[in-house]
Every structure is written in C-alpha cells, then in structure tokens.
Amino acid sequence: MTNHAAVPPQVAELSAALFQPRPMRRGTVNERRMKCGQANCACQRDPKARHGPYYMLTQAAGGKTRSRYVGADQVPVLRRQIEAGREFRQQVEVYWDACEHWADAELEAAEAAEAAEKKGSRRALGKRSGKSSRRS
Ligand SMILES: [Zn+2]
C-alpha cells in the first residue's frame, strides 16, 4: 500500500537527466608505441624511434578485458563517448543517493505510522547506518 505518486522533485530532476540517451562507452583509450620485428631497425635500440602512435581501446566485458586497435581519427570520438559514460556513472551514483534518501523517508513514514498505531509502544529501530552498499 505504498503511494509512489509523490516523486521528490530532486529525484524527478535527476531521473530526467539520467535518461537522456547518448552514445557512450566504458573503457579507456591508450596510446602505444611499438617495436617492430626487424633486428636492424632503430626502434630496437631507441625508444623514441618506436613506431606509432597506435591507439588501443580497452574494455572490460563479462570479466574479461578486451583490447583492439582503433584509428587515430576515431580517438576524439571515443574519448567523448568514454567521457559521456563517466558522467553517466556519476549521475547514477547521485541518483542512487537521492533514491535512497527517498527510501529512508518512506521507511521513516511507515515507522511513524506504525508507532502511532501502537500508541506509545515504540519500536526503536536504530538510525540507518549510512550508505554502504555501492553498486556499479
Ligand atoms: Zn622498427
């Protein structure tokens, strides 16, 4: 019998910000410089003569880390997508906090109603122990 109709303005606002679809991804783009296989190439001795830069996109998927080469021209787009993903994760955290705050208020209201019903026989539920569970 809970009424969720009254969404707190902060939650409504955050939720609207959260669900603005945009291309984004997790992972990182790294620059690499490589040695080639030729024994007499300068890259074998001089780190500055290594070939590249080459760019690798590294992503964790299903417990595995995958890397692949991407073109230099793709790097700015990838960085923007990764940045968008990072912002999204932050927004999710803020959204979680706001929803948990809301959940606390709901819990306290239910507790207060119960206490009022029992008239005086108060159940002292300990104060919440802060937000501990982190999800990602
Ligand atoms: Zn070389």
Side-chain angles (χ1 to χ4, degrees):
M1 304 293 184
T2 315
N3 180 18
H4 292 300
V7 179
Q10 199 203 1
V11 172
E13 205 175 294
L14 290 168
S15 142
L18 205 53
F19 298 107
Q20 278 167 4
R22 58 192 157 152
M24 59 188 177
R25 66 176 75 241
R26 291 159 286 190
T28 53
V29 178
N30 295 302
E31 193 180 304
R32 303 251 169 108
R33 286 175 183 274
M34 323 275 266
K35 290 188 207 176
C36 69
Q38 290 171 23
N40 55 1
C41 181
C43 70
Q44 301 296 331
R45 292 167 278 112
D46 183 3
K48 284 180 185 160
R50 285 185 188 183
H51 306 274
Y54 299 104
Y55 296 94
M56 295 201 82
L57 172 65
T58 302
Q59 292 185 282
K64 288 182 188 172
T65 302
R66 289 183 182 183
S67 294
R68 65 183 165 94
Y69 287 105
V70 294
D73 53 339
Q74 295 180 307
V75 170
V77 178
L78 286 165
R79 293 221 159 112
R80 175 174 47 70
Q81 293 171 345
I82 289 165
E83 177 59 21
R86 204 183 57 79
E87 278 170 19
F88 180 73
R89 271 202 299 279
Q90 283 179 343
Q91 286 177 319
V92 168
E93 283 304 315
V94 174
Y95 184 66
W96 260 122
D97 287 348
C99 287
E100 282 175 345
H101 191 75
W102 183 19
D104 283 344
E106 184 188 49
L107 201 64
E108 278 161 29
E111 212 180 320
E114 197 180 320
E117 233 169 72
K118 289 187 177 175
K119 282 180 186 164
S121 70
R122 40 155 83 153
R123 304 168 65 201
L125 273 175
K127 254 296 186 195
R128 67 199 168 94
S129 57
K131 12 192 143 104
S132 52
S133 69
R134 285 273 125 158
R135 266 153 278 202
S136 55

